[in-house]
Amino acid sequence: MNFKLPLLLWGVLGCASIQAAGVGSPAPGCPVDSLAGGGIVDPAARAGQVVYLDFWASWCVPCAKSFPFLDQMHRDLKARGFEVIAINLDEERQDALGFLDKHPVGFTIGADPQGKCPRLYQVKGMPTSYLIDRKGQIREVHEGFKTGDAPALRARIESLLSEP
């Protein structure tokens, strides 16, 4: 387990000058490299789509539980304008790739080993997810993941997909 990231997040969260990306605010732009390489991932550059932005790390046990659910939602709802973007925060790329070998997914994965995106979004723990509407506004922040969360999350996503 990498202890540098939790300490980094603790230090960032103590900084009062950073404003949290909260419900009702625009999703901050945060371009990062694709974990697969060869591209840039920016969750705020998906105008017209409903985005589920998920911050995760290889050592996060709830992340391993959430990935099958997120992948299924991505497959089921992509044609309606839904996208899952998961930003990995591991310092070592190989840690993230090892996690994905065990939990393969078809959605977009970005890599942010320097932790710039969690600073912008003021992530407090793993996983933390942001539900972003078609207009680029954060509609919900969800911390943690339990299997019992899945039906309510899916219902909120489907509700957003029904909005113009």
Side-chain angles (χ1 to χ4, degrees):
M1 180 159 131
N2 185 338
F3 290 101
K4 291 180 184 177
L5 182 62
L7 291 175
L8 170 69
L9 290 175
W10 179 81
V12 167
L13 294 174
C15 182
S17 64
I18 296 175
Q19 295 297 315
V23 174
S25 68
C30 188
V32 297
D33 291 331
S34 166
L35 185 65
I40 299 294
V41 175
D42 187 352
R46 303 285 204 246
Q49 294 185 311
V50 172
V51 175
Y52 189 90
L53 171 60
D54 186 60
F55 290 98
W56 67 283
S58 63
W59 45 263
C60 168
V61 174
C63 298
K65 293 179 182 178
S66 71
F67 266 46
F69 163 71
L70 295 176
D71 196 48
Q72 185 65 51
M73 275 202 323
H74 171 76
R75 285 193 310 267
D76 292 351
L77 303 173
K78 184 175 175 108
R80 293 178 54 198
F82 177 68
E83 178 137 11
V84 174
I85 298 176
I87 297 182
N88 176 265
L89 304 177
D90 285 305
E91 289 180 354
E92 299 296 329
R93 184 174 185 270
Q94 197 55 45
D95 293 340
L97 294 174
F99 178 95
L100 291 171
D101 282 344
K102 294 176 189 168
H103 311 283
V105 295
F107 52 79
T108 302
I109 305 282
D112 185 9
Q114 292 80 30
K116 69 179 181 174
C117 291
R119 285 192 293 277
L120 285 173
Y121 281 84
Q122 278 214 295
V123 171
K124 296 178 184 173
M126 297 295 142
T128 297
S129 302
Y130 295 78
L131 189 53
I132 303 167
D133 68 17
R134 293 181 192 275
K135 296 175 185 171
Q137 299 292 310
I138 297 172
R139 297 289 286 273
E140 183 172 327
V141 179
H142 188 82
E143 295 177 358
F145 182 84
K146 297 176 195 140
T147 306
D149 297 342
L153 283 171
R154 184 172 178 122
R156 288 196 272 303
I157 290 163
E158 292 199 29
S159 176
L160 283 180
L161 287 168
S162 297
E163 292 180 7

